[in-house]
Amino acid sequence: MAGRFDPLTRAAVRGGRTDVPAGRGAAAGSGARERHWIPDGPVDLGLTLGPLRRGPADPTFRTTPDGSLWRTGRTPQGPATLRVSRAGEQVHAEAWGPGADWFLEQLPALLGAGDDPAAFVPRHRLVHASHRRRPGLRLTRTGLVLESLIPTVLEQKVTADEAYRAWRRLVRQYGEPAPGPAGGPDLYVVPAPRTWAVVPSWDWHRAGVDAKRSATIVRAARVANRLEEAAAMDLPEAVRRLEAVPGIGPWTSAETLQRSNGHPDAITTGDLHLPGIVGYALAGDRDADDAAMLELLAPYVGQRHRAARLVLLAGRTPPRRAPRMPRGDIGRF
């Protein structure tokens, strides 16, 4: 949920943690639209926006040594690049491209302005400690569904490395260079829905994506406008809208809506690891299934996604007792 396990540390990056170097951000780039915004409470850029990153070399997401966090997107107004940095309590944002104004308008929602951390009441000692250590955790809301749905489908039933590799290859091959200042990071904008819908079978294969996942992405791309409407829906209605597409189930819809809608109760079920992590952290039960996990999280109904993130960020995972899931690459065949 909200990210995947780091392939080396197996640790809390699965809770959506991205390190942002200390800095004040660079001067505004040529042609940038700007916005300054002061949040009404602490906001940790790395924790809040970290779930949007798909691996350390995501071509749509970067952090830079000057303390900036960059991301790209295909907004309703067109492609855009956003750079966000902090200067004390103030957030400074710059954007480029046809969708720049849309990105800047959505900046507060992206940084969790619609989230209400005060509604969360810790019920376990570990959750309380994790919550206390991370006052700047906010749940992001991008307002964009397809950009989160497609990489989530790529992550179905494969290792994180395989999914990240496929995402990088497909975005670089079929996306477009992101608008932005000369000398900025090497970023790409995700392909348009009509482009995803016509990726040939051999390029899915070369990217290591099997027919089931590629077919799901093609079906979703063909009804992209209907799926994007889910960003403005309540959680149950949004889940129904996404899961009406064959190949999209509870795991995929939750992982997508956690990012696009920022709903604090969008808990992931059907995950290979999450029930065991929550069960082990809260009750010492490494063999917990979805039912046991939901029972443990019952005191957090309405905030179960936030509670699970805090458990993951605490880093208390059960000791490994089985080999890692084998890595595959169907593109070699």
Side-chain angles (χ1 to χ4, degrees):
M1 56 160 290
R4 297 293 294 263
F5 276 116
D6 182 289
L8 297 178
T9 67
R10 303 162 42 220
V13 290
R14 194 162 194 268
R17 182 189 64 215
T18 290
D19 291 330
V20 179
R24 297 177 60 86
S30 175
R33 307 296 297 270
E34 295 185 70
R35 178 174 182 176
H36 298 273
W37 179 64
I38 299 178
D40 60 3
V43 176
D44 185 310
L45 295 181
L47 281 175
T48 301
L49 300 182
L52 305 181
R53 186 176 206 165
R54 305 292 181 157
D58 184 347
T60 71
F61 190 109
R62 290 283 190 279
T63 58
T64 49
D66 65 4
S68 298
L69 188 151
W70 299 68
R71 94 177 206 94
T72 69
R74 189 170 294 278
T75 78
Q77 297 176 0
T81 300
L82 178 72
R83 176 168 66 184
V84 183
S85 59
R86 293 293 302 266
E89 295 183 354
Q90 182 173 260
V91 175
H92 178 215
E94 302 161 70
W96 297 261
D101 288 339
W102 191 91
F103 254 174
L104 294 178
E105 182 180 352
Q106 297 296 316
L107 179 70
L110 185 73
L111 296 180
D115 183 30
D116 182 16
F120 182 76
V121 179
R123 304 291 186 181
H124 297 84
R125 183 175 298 177
L126 176 138
V127 175
H128 176 76
S130 184
H131 183 246
R132 186 181 66 250
R133 290 196 296 268
R134 297 171 178 87
L137 172 63
R138 296 290 182 274
L139 301 182
T140 186
R141 183 182 186 276
T142 67
L144 299 170
V145 174
L146 206 67
E147 71 168 25
S148 292
L149 175 63
I150 290 176
T152 300
V153 173
L154 292 176
E155 293 173 358
Q156 291 176 348
K157 299 185 184 302
V158 297
T159 66
D161 280 353
E162 291 174 84
Y164 295 156
R165 183 171 62 243
W167 176 244
R168 289 194 301 268
R169 177 166 185 152
L170 291 165
V171 170
R172 288 185 177 276
Q173 183 173 356
Y174 287 99
E176 60 190 87
D186 181 26
L187 292 169
Y188 283 75
V189 178
V190 296
R194 62 183 177 273
T195 303
W196 285 114
V198 298
V199 173
S201 59
W202 52 87
D203 278 338
W204 289 115
H205 185 81
R206 288 169 181 159
V209 181
D210 58 71
K212 182 177 181 181
R213 287 180 292 151
S214 63
T216 299
I217 292 171
V218 170
R219 285 192 290 266
R222 289 174 176 168
V223 293
N225 290 339
R226 294 283 289 165
L227 295 181
E228 292 295 348
E229 293 173 358
M233 295 177 178
D234 292 336
L235 184 62
E237 188 179 1
V239 167
R240 286 193 295 270
R241 178 64 60 89
L242 266 62
E243 293 183 10
V245 177
I248 298 177
W251 184 90
T252 304
S253 64
E255 291 283 316
T256 300
L257 295 172
Q258 287 164 8
R259 298 166 172 86
S260 63
N261 293 36
H263 200 290
D265 203 44
I267 182 65
T268 300
T269 57
D271 192 86
L272 179 63
H273 303 287
L274 183 61
I277 294 173
V278 172
Y280 181 79
L282 300 185
D285 180 11
R286 63 178 300 157
D287 297 315
D289 57 10
D290 277 342
M293 176 183 72
L294 294 176
E295 184 177 352
L296 286 169
L297 295 177
Y300 302 104
V301 167
Q303 294 279 331
R304 291 176 296 180
H305 168 44
R306 189 192 308 276
R309 275 200 71 186
L310 289 168
V311 169
L312 291 170
L313 287 164
R316 184 178 296 177
T317 57
R320 184 176 297 278
R321 65 182 181 190
R324 292 179 184 270
M325 181 177 178
R327 299 179 183 179
D329 185 0
I330 66 171
R332 295 181 179 180
F333 298 103

